[in-house]
Amino acid sequence: MTARVVIVGNGMAGARLAGELHAREGDRKVTVLGAEPHRAYNRILLSTLLAGRIGEPDVELTEAAGHGVDLRSGVPVVAVDRSAREVRTDDGERIGYDHLVLATGARAVVPPLPGLDPAALPERVVPFRTLDDCRRILAVADGARSALVLGGGLLGLEAARGLATRGLATTVVHPRAHLMERQLDPTAGAVLAGTLAGFGVSVQLGVSATGVAADANGVRLDLADGRSLRADLLVLSCGVRPDTALAQAAGLTVRRGVVVDDRLRTNDRSISAIGDCAEHDGVLTGLVAPAWAQAQVLADVLTGTEPLARYRPRPVVTRLKAAGIDLASMGEAAGGGPGEELTFADPTRGTYARLRIRDERLIGAILLGDNPAVGTVIQLFDRGQPVPSDRRALLLGRALGAVGATPAASPALMPDAATVCQCNTVSKGALVRSWRSGARTVDAVVAATRAGTGCGGCRDAVSGIVDWLSQAESVEVTR
């Protein structure tokens, strides 16, 4: 009997799960129901699209297609009938399932401010979350001269940098004392603010918004200190909230997100949840790498490829995707407590580094600005390896090999197990194997391994490894 798997959501998590299921053997029908009327797209690249550095075709994801996959875009699901094992779409169609997967993602938070109705936002006030949001921002930005961004977190800064790249005088308003307070300490936040200023982005810190007024001529943002800021466009980047409405209405256990176990199952064993809507061990993901790891685990479980597979979160590395700004933050970067701590700051050059070490392991790091050791630091953190005795090499950017002993002058010195693509957990060894199997160009290696299809930050590293493989007469992979 053909197993029926229904996936609600065609975002980055849902689309990846469909692809994982399609790639595995077995008799099943996979139905993907996406509320958005578009093909699946890479949400991480929307800020790059906003900056005008890529076009819409560049953000599209390769979707599962062909026998056994029924992909329906623009089909919202409005209810789940657990007793009948059916979902109901907005046009009244009922679709049966043997296993249901909720990949409903998260929605942008619209702050409860006078002048903002989440159901009917003014034309010049736009959240920054979806492809449609990006299109609306670009439509207003065309011909605009100034913009405000409410929210100085990761997405807010990416949006601000993108708008500034388009020539808009851009101001970020953030209620906290420094930017990206979840990932950065105050010094790093100050250095980042200085870097942004050099790109035409000013920052207003430690002040809350109290109201919004918008009309055909522009937007006014009122602040708690009595001031008002005016611009042609206001972008809202005030966080996201997991979309749990379907799960709650169906009686599934929901806290901040839909609660799942190590096998991504909800309290109903025929229903799973992955991605931004899922809460595992009390934690929401909000990043692409965990969502894609969950998709792989769930595909293994549902197809019987590895029925005992368990989702185990990996250490999270946050990268700021903004032109001209190199920023990586990981682990307990902004915290305190026992252990060794090293810092270096050069605000004039836009450089800051902070390493936190405990029991000879890196437990957190912030690297802002050009630092050749960033790849090594990420490897040490990701793999839990001992840090080198010469801490300055990491702090000041004298690049080391991933084992912390020799300069990483060539990919030949990189261990086979070194993770090149964090989003897809692709190792150098996997890249080498794909090349040896016939993938002799960067695009072919990317297609074979998925490296570089997440945030894109590893694309240069992938290209460097392919160039090295192409030039080498024989490849000896170190381990």
Side-chain angles (χ1 to χ4, degrees):
M1 180 178 177
T2 302
R4 301 168 301 169
V5 179
V6 173
I7 303 171
V8 179
N10 191 34
M12 297 185 74
R16 174 57 65 94
L17 176 61
E20 294 282 357
L21 292 171
H22 183 61
R24 288 162 171 75
E25 295 181 356
D27 185 15
R28 71 188 68 88
K29 178 183 179 181
V30 179
T31 302
V32 185
L33 305 172
E36 293 186 72
H38 326 290
R39 295 184 58 179
Y41 58 90
N42 188 335
R43 199 181 307 277
I44 300 173
L45 296 180
L46 290 182
S47 59
T48 310
L49 176 64
L50 192 63
R53 296 169 60 199
I54 59 174
E56 282 196 14
D58 299 310
V59 305
E60 291 182 353
L61 291 171
T62 301
E63 299 167 325
H67 178 70
V69 177
D70 180 12
L71 173 60
R72 307 187 195 181
S73 300
V75 181
V77 173
V78 297
V80 175
D81 186 338
R82 290 168 55 190
S83 59
R85 290 196 175 185
E86 293 178 337
V87 298
R88 180 164 55 86
T89 65
D90 65 341
D91 61 2
E93 182 181 5
R94 290 181 174 271
I95 302 171
Y97 65 83
D98 296 305
H99 199 91
L100 174 65
V101 182
L102 300 178
T104 50
R107 297 181 182 273
V109 172
V110 176
L113 296 175
L116 291 186
D117 177 0
L121 289 174
E123 179 182 357
R124 292 178 178 272
V125 179
V126 191
F128 182 45
R129 175 66 180 172
T130 68
L131 179 58
D132 280 340
D133 293 337
C134 196
R135 289 172 172 172
R136 287 182 58 201
I137 292 171
L138 290 174
V140 178
D142 185 21
R145 300 175 61 184
S146 59
L148 297 170
V149 177
L150 186 57
L154 186 69
L155 290 181
L157 297 185
E158 290 181 352
R161 179 69 180 105
L163 291 168
T165 299
R166 290 184 172 271
L168 278 69
T170 305
T171 300
V172 174
V173 178
H174 192 52
R176 307 299 182 188
H178 67 274
L179 298 171
M180 291 182 62
E181 70 280 355
R182 293 184 179 180
Q183 294 88 15
L184 304 182
D185 59 25
T187 304
V191 174
L192 178 57
T195 299
L196 288 166
F199 290 121
V201 178
S202 62
V203 177
Q204 298 287 332
L205 296 170
V207 60
S208 300
T210 58
V212 175
D215 56 28
N217 297 317
V219 181
R220 187 189 76 231
L221 182 67
D222 297 328
L223 305 180
D225 59 9
R227 292 180 297 148
S228 293
L229 302 178
R230 289 174 170 79
D232 300 314
L233 166 68
L234 171 61
V235 175
L236 302 177
S237 184
C238 304
V240 297
R241 183 174 294 118
D243 190 345
T244 60
L246 272 180
Q248 286 182 310
L252 299 177
T253 301
V254 174
R255 296 189 186 115
R256 291 187 300 159
V258 185
V259 176
V260 297
D261 61 15
D262 289 351
R263 299 177 71 188
L264 290 315
R265 301 175 301 186
T266 67
N267 55 299
D268 183 330
R269 291 298 183 257
S270 63
I271 302 178
S272 298
I274 61 173
D276 290 355
C277 72
E279 178 182 330
H280 173 265
D281 199 21
V283 176
L284 300 171
T285 62
L287 296 172
V288 63
W292 283 353
Q294 290 174 354
Q296 181 175 354
V297 169
L298 184 55
D300 284 341
V301 171
L302 293 182
T303 62
T305 304
E306 192 175 342
L308 299 181
R310 296 289 187 272
Y311 170 64
R312 293 288 183 265
R314 293 175 59 85
V316 174
V317 178
T318 301
R319 303 294 294 266
L320 178 63
K321 295 295 294 177
I325 302 175
D326 296 315
L327 171 62
S329 174
M330 62 207 79
E332 303 171 30
E340 182 182 351
E341 184 172 310
L342 299 91
T343 60
F344 171 79
D346 186 351
T348 302
R349 296 178 179 271
T351 301
Y352 178 77
R354 180 182 184 186
L355 306 178
R356 298 192 62 229
I357 300 166
R358 186 181 302 152
D359 299 327
E360 294 300 306
R361 263 60 175 182
L362 195 65
I363 63 169
I366 299 170
L367 297 174
L368 174 60
D370 185 19
N371 189 321
V374 63
T376 300
V377 171
I378 291 175
Q379 289 293 325
L380 290 171
F381 173 73
D382 185 60
R383 300 173 64 187
Q385 289 184 316
V387 296
S389 57
D390 182 5
R391 316 291 209 236
R392 295 172 299 173
L394 296 179
L395 189 68
L396 302 179
R398 285 179 287 168
L400 300 172
V403 296
T406 57
S410 164
L413 301 176
M414 182 186 295
D416 191 24
T419 303
V420 177
C421 176
Q422 296 287 326
C423 294
N424 289 287
T425 320
V426 180
S427 67
K428 175 207 169 182
L431 298 176
V432 171
R433 288 191 294 273
S434 71
W435 187 85
R436 287 174 169 169
S437 298
R440 298 305 174 93
T441 66
V442 173
D443 287 344
V445 169
V446 167
T449 64
R450 290 174 168 162
T453 60
C455 71
C458 65
R459 188 81 181 199
D460 288 345
V462 174
S463 179
I465 290 173
V466 172
D467 288 344
W468 161 66
L469 289 167
S470 300
Q471 295 170 9
E473 293 184 359
S474 61
V475 178
E476 294 296 332
V477 181
T478 55
R479 298 182 184 276

